[in-house]
Amino acid sequence: MIKFLKQPMMRKVLIALAPIYLFSIWMYGLRVVAAAVVVFICGIATEWLFERKRQGKVSEAVLVSCALFALAFPPKTPLWILAVGIIFAVAMAKGVYGGFGRNIFNPAIAGRAFVYISFAIVLSRAYTGFGNFGIGAVDVLSSATPLAQMRAGAKVPLSSLVFGLRPGALGESMTLLIVLAGVYLILTKTASWKIIVSTLVGGAVTNLILLAVGAAKALPMESLLAGSFLFMSVFMATDPVSAPKRQQSHYVYGALIGATAVLIRTFSAFPEGTSFAILFGNTFANLIDIAVDSLVKKAPAQAKAPAKPEGGA
């Protein structure tokens, strides 16, 4: 019998994801259910194997990792690839560090990056049409996604980005639902609004600068509503374990992720930069806390320092 560590905060994230799952099922049908079943079974089993030796409980955080991971891939991603990815995520990005609270990288993001690097060609062919529960959907190339169209200079209707009527990963398309989920997570104090806002601002400012200087590969501003940028900003960047612990650090951390994501999107060979940007932010999370702590301690010390007397007497 698997015993779970009760984590109310993680349940709120699952509640926020529920409407996105329902919309995804309407978009792609049973593919979503099959992906979720495989990912949840493999992810929970992997954490249970690690915790069994420690005589610990399986964290409810692994349910969030599984839920996010399943939504991060194209509809026709082979189930065995999803299984390999979530096992890697839970084992190598969490289990080997000692379990919940000790990992330095977001497990779902680490698994996503691993899969996209290892199976890039397969994933590029895993996109399909959408709507009507996936009935009659035909395969489409990754070049049909809004982000790829923008990169090719094509115009993408803003309505298709806001209401999610476009090909893409299972959970990234419905901008409106992601925004509502973000509002819910902020109001319930489940996610840091500082990280969400600073990530969006960091990405927007960087993109504006690239457009202003005339960068050849700069994407239009609506590109921030395409791909996984918004989804990752709300659900992945805000992971409390891999993010900085100081509230003041959240501004720097989010801005770093947003700016890095846009730079990778613009200049690298990878169509998306969000996964690598968050891993980059995770790497520097503790250093950002140390820097902020040093500045906070230095400021009061300077304020208490006695003023030097004027004159020479």
Side-chain angles (χ1 to χ4, degrees):
M1 182 67 178
I2 297 178
K3 295 182 179 180
F4 285 91
L5 177 66
K6 294 182 179 180
Q7 296 172 300
M9 181 180 291
M10 298 302 168
R11 296 178 190 176
K12 292 175 183 176
V13 180
L14 294 174
I15 291 172
L17 285 169
I20 297 175
Y21 260 94
L22 292 175
F23 179 78
S24 183
I25 291 173
W26 177 80
M27 289 277 281
Y28 301 108
L30 293 179
R31 298 178 192 275
V32 182
V33 178
V37 169
V38 169
V39 168
F40 272 86
I41 290 175
C42 293
I44 293 171
T46 302
E47 179 152 326
W48 176 76
L49 289 174
F50 275 89
E51 294 301 327
R52 183 185 180 189
K53 292 187 177 182
R54 305 187 188 105
Q55 296 183 340
K57 296 180 179 180
V58 174
S59 67
E60 290 185 346
V62 76
L63 303 180
V64 173
S65 295
C66 290
L68 293 172
F69 185 85
L71 290 173
F73 293 94
K76 287 191 69 176
T77 302
L79 296 180
W80 68 268
I81 289 181
L82 294 177
V84 170
I86 193 61
I87 290 171
F88 175 90
V90 177
M92 302 307 297
K94 186 177 182 181
V96 297
Y97 288 98
F100 176 75
R102 297 179 177 87
N103 51 291
I104 61 174
F105 296 108
N106 181 301
I109 284 291
R112 185 177 192 258
F114 169 75
V115 169
Y116 267 97
I117 292 173
S118 303
F119 309 105
I121 295 177
V122 177
L123 294 180
S124 69
R125 300 169 179 167
Y127 293 90
T128 71
F130 54 87
N132 196 29
F133 297 96
I135 298 173
V138 296
D139 295 352
V140 298
L141 297 176
S142 58
S143 58
T145 64
L147 199 58
Q149 292 178 45
M150 292 177 193
R151 191 168 281 110
K155 289 286 186 179
V156 178
L158 188 61
S159 59
S160 68
L161 298 175
V162 173
F163 297 106
L165 301 177
R166 57 185 172 91
L170 294 178
E172 71 183 21
S173 63
M174 184 47 152
T175 297
L176 185 59
L177 286 180
I178 295 172
V179 170
L180 292 175
V183 171
Y184 168 77
L185 293 175
I186 291 171
L187 291 178
T188 57
K189 298 182 179 180
T190 305
S192 167
W193 68 266
K194 299 180 180 69
I195 292 179
I196 296 175
V197 172
S198 58
T199 301
L200 298 176
V201 171
V205 170
T206 303
N207 210 68
L208 278 172
I209 293 173
L210 293 174
L211 289 171
V213 300
K217 297 182 178 180
L219 295 169
M221 291 303 295
E222 55 265 31
S223 65
L224 298 178
L225 299 179
S228 61
F229 185 81
L230 187 60
F231 183 80
M232 298 296 176
S233 299
V234 171
F235 290 107
M236 306 291 205
T238 54
D239 172 34
V241 176
S242 55
K245 303 301 180 283
R246 306 289 181 266
Q247 290 295 311
Q248 300 95 322
S249 302
H250 288 181
Y251 297 108
V252 179
Y253 178 74
L256 176 64
I257 290 175
T260 304
V262 169
L263 290 174
I264 294 175
R265 274 184 169 193
T266 305
F267 298 111
S268 80
F270 289 97
E272 275 281 20
T274 49
S275 293
F276 302 106
I278 292 176
L279 292 177
F280 187 71
N282 292 165
T283 303
F284 286 93
N286 189 52
L287 291 176
I288 294 172
D289 271 341
I290 292 173
V292 168
D293 280 344
S294 65
L295 290 174
V296 170
K297 291 177 182 177
K298 186 177 179 180
Q302 291 178 339
K304 293 179 182 179
K308 294 183 179 180
E310 296 181 1

